[in-house]
Each structure stands twice: as C-alpha cells, then as structure tokens.
C-alpha cells in the first residue's frame, strides 16, 4: 500500500450481545490476505473482548495489532486515547492494511465518525463502512425499538412525556448510521422473527439499507470489508437523536448503564455456573454477562457469555501461569438494575435474604 492511500477503517456497532466480538474473530481468521489491526472499545473495567480476540491472534493479525480502549467511549476520549491508538497502529511495521474498530455496545456511532475528522488523522484514514449488528430475536420482540405509531399516539395524548427509552434510541442511532446491517442469531428468531426484525429495521432506517442474516459471526468478509463508503464524508445523511447534545447525552448514557466486575475463585461445574448466570439475568434484569472462570481440574479457562438469559460457555484456551486461574466476569445492566451485592451473591451461588 502506498502511504498516499488512505487506510480503510471498518466500524462495527451493535447492541450489547449482538455478536460483535464473534464477527471480529471471524474476520481476523478470514482476513482475505489483508494485514488487519483491531481496536476494541470496552465498557467496563476488564478487557474481556480484548482478551478473547488476542487469544485468536494469527500472523495476519498478531497480538500487537489488537488494542483496547477501556476508559470511556472513543468519541469522548479522542485526543487522549483514540488518536494515539490509531497513530500507533499506523506506525507498526509492517503497517496494517485495514483497521477494524469494535465499539462498545452502548456507543453512539455518529460522534465516532466525527472523531475521524480530527486533524491529525483526517488525511490518513477513511471510514470504509459502518456495520451494525442487530439480534434478530430481540429486535423482533421489540426490545430495542419502539412502535412508532404507538409512541406518536402517546405523545399526542401527553406531550409532557418522553416515551423513548435510552435503549431504543441507541438502537435507532446505530441503524441510522449503518452502511449494512447484519441480523444475527436468525436461527433463534426463526423465519417469522427474521421477517419481523427486517420490518422493524426498514421502518427505522432513513434509507434503503442491505440487511444480511448472519449465524455465528460467519459472513463473507467481502460483504463487510471494502465497502469504500467514505462515511466521514456523508455524516449528514446519517441522522441521530443526539445531534446537539452529544456531551450531555454521554454523561446521561453512562448513568443509564453500569457495569461491575466480579472476581471468582475456581468453580466446580460449568453447567451449574451457567445456570447461575441465567438465574441472575432472569431475576435481576441483567443485559449482558461476559468473562471467564476456572473450573476445578480443567487446564482450560471457561469463557462465559450471556445476552439476557441466553448463556453460552466454552473452554477457549489454557490458563497462563501468571493468571493464577483468577476468574473475572463483567456484568452490565441499566443503572437501576445493578445491585452489586446481589449480583456477586448470585454468581457465587450464595443465598441472600
């Protein structure tokens, strides 16, 4: 690549648990001969996504090409974190040929696009495309999008009420900003659920947009890389709920969502631990659980991921000696649903009066 060419960057957005990390893993292991770099923007105190991705580093995307931004959303830390990270990746030898950014599930994508207008990098990179992932089952159930007609009717009845929830606004902003939408977990939604989800997205999207069904993150990389959308040049065509209130909204959204980290000693049984996570989600309205635990007698660590009450677990890699088999799990929920003591007790299998 000549240094005069702009380095393409793909931004992957999507709600908590839509499958962003799974997609990035797939792209990393099927890079189409391109040298990739990955930036993970975490929400929470522990780099679980970064850990997961580093564990599947390959020659075309070695571990040093995978960077994490753990302290705050990218657009609020442009000068301090984001620009130096991009510059560090561009300074690598050999230089990456494509950068993938996995945003926090709570991120509004449009302010991130504006970050690419920063003078230090504006002439060096281009946003190849914005990919939004949407969980087909959740969207079909109306969990992350409101019924527009019903909201309009309620507003007419009482103009003093704001009927938008933070979750639906984040979802709509992600859809509005996308160049392509990947509808994940279509098998769980079934044909009717997929059709309903597509209908919801078509209603929300301000323009005709491609919607592709994707199971287990498996998508032809040519569908999502090489879009050449130059998204930074048509920001105005991507409407957002939060045009003029970005900083205020971010303060607000970080109040809306909260994450806690629970450290865990060795557990005896993977299925029993997964059942605890499921019970926690059901009883305390938890959005997302992600992390890893040690299982007695097993040299591999157990990776645990949950979206609502759907829990998946698998052994992903051996524990490293310096890790001391110390389990760590991040739990994310809306602010009012975070009860640290109850969450810890639920994960540890303790009864709370």
């Amino acid at each position: 690549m000549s240094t005069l060419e702009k380095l393409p960057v793909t931004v992957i957005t999507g709600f908590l648990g839509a499958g962003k990390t799974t997609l990035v893993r797939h792209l990393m292991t099927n890079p189409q001969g391109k040298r990739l770099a990955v930036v993970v923007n975490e929400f929470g105190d522990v780099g679980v996504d970064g850990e997961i991705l580093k564990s599947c580093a390959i020659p075309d995307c070695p571990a040093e090409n995978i960077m994490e931004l753990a302290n705050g959303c990218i657009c609020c830390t442009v000068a301090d974190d984001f620009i130096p990270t991009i510059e560090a990746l561009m300074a690598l030898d050999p230089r990456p040929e494509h950068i993938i950014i996995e945003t926090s599930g709570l991120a509004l994508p449009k302010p991130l696009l504006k970050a690419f207008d920063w003078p230090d990098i504006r002439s060096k990179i281009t946003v190849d495309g914005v990919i939004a992932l949407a969980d087909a089952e959740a969207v079909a159930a109306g969990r992350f999008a409101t019924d527009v007609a019903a909201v309009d009717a309620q507003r007419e009845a009482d103009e003093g009420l704001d009927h938008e929830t933070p979750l639906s606004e984040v979802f709509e902003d992600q859809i509005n900003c996308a160049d392509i939408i990947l509808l994940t977990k279509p098998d769980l939604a079934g044909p009717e659920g997929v059709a309903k989800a597509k209908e919801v997205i078509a209603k929300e999207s301000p323009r005709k947009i491609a919607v592709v069904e994707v199971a287990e993150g498996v998508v032809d990389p040519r569908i999502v890389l090489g879009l050449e959308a130059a998204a930074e040049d048509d920001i105005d065509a991507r409407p957002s709920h939060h045009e003029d209130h970005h900083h205020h909204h971010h303060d607000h959204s970080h109040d809306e969502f909260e994450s806690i980290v629970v450290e865990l000693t060795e557990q005896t049984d993977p299925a029993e631990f997964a059942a605890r996570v499921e019970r926690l989600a059901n009883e305390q309205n938890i959005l997302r659980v992600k992390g890893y635990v040690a299982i007695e007698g097993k040299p591999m660590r157990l990776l645990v991921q949950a979206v609502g009450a759907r829990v998946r677990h698998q052994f992903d890699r051996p524990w490293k000696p310096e890790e001391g088999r110390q389990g760590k799990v991040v739990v994310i929920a809306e602010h009012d649903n975070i009860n640290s003591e109850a969450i810890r007790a639920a994960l540890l299998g303790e009864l709370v009066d």
Side-chain angles (χ1 to χ4, degrees), residues 1-3 7 33-38 58-67 85-99:
M1 176 188 280
S2 90
T3 50
L7 182 64
K34 287 193 174 82
R35 248 189 335 276
L36 296 182
V38 177
I58 58 167
D60 279 324
C61 189
E64 62 267 24
N65 285 31
I66 302 166
M67 297 199 174
T85 298
I86 296 293
E87 288 180 330
L89 288 175
M90 293 175 75
L92 288 171
D93 186 14
R95 181 181 180 217
E97 294 167 310
H98 201 115
I99 296 176

Side-chain angles (χ1 to χ4, degrees), residues 49-97:
D49 284 350
E51 270 289 313
I52 293 168
L53 294 175
K54 281 176 182 169
S55 71
C56 58
I58 58 167
D60 279 324
C61 189
E64 62 267 24
N65 285 31
I66 302 166
M67 297 199 174
E68 294 169 77
L69 299 176
N71 43 348
C73 67
I74 289 173
C75 42
C76 291
T77 60
V78 173
D80 296 336
D81 288 339
F82 179 56
I83 302 301
T85 298
I86 296 293
E87 288 180 330
L89 288 175
M90 293 175 75
L92 288 171
D93 186 14
R95 181 181 180 217
E97 294 167 310

Side-chain angles (χ1 to χ4, degrees), residues 32 44 46 80 98 107 126 131 150 166-167 173-174 178 180-181 195 226 232 235 242 254 264 272 284 305 312 320 341:
Q32 307 290 290
V46 59
D80 296 336
H98 201 115
T126 179
I131 316 299
L167 297 192
D173 277 19
Q174 290 174 349
I180 186 168
I181 291 165
E232 70 277 12
I235 287 178
H242 309 285
H254 280 266
L264 296 159
E272 202 255 331
Q284 300 192 46
Q305 304 199 62
R312 297 174 66 176
K320 294 174 184 168
E341 190 182 329

Side-chain angles (χ1 to χ4, degrees), residues 188-255:
L188 293 172
E192 283 183 19
V194 167
K196 177 81 172 95
K198 287 180 175 176
E199 192 183 306
V200 170
I201 288 166
K203 242 183 228 174
E204 295 295 350
S205 182
R207 56 210 157 118
K208 181 80 178 136
I209 190 163
V211 178
V212 178
E213 292 173 48
V214 174
E216 300 293 336
V218 178
V219 62
D220 186 331
R222 291 169 299 182
I223 291 175
V224 292
L225 302 181
L227 301 183
E228 298 182 7
E232 70 277 12
D233 292 338
D234 77 338
I235 287 178
D236 292 342
R238 300 163 190 256
S240 165
H241 285 278
H242 309 285
E243 300 295 349
D244 303 316
H245 311 292
H246 166 55
H247 289 294
H248 164 76
H249 178 80
H250 266 284
D251 294 342
H252 177 62
S253 97
H254 280 266
D255 287 338

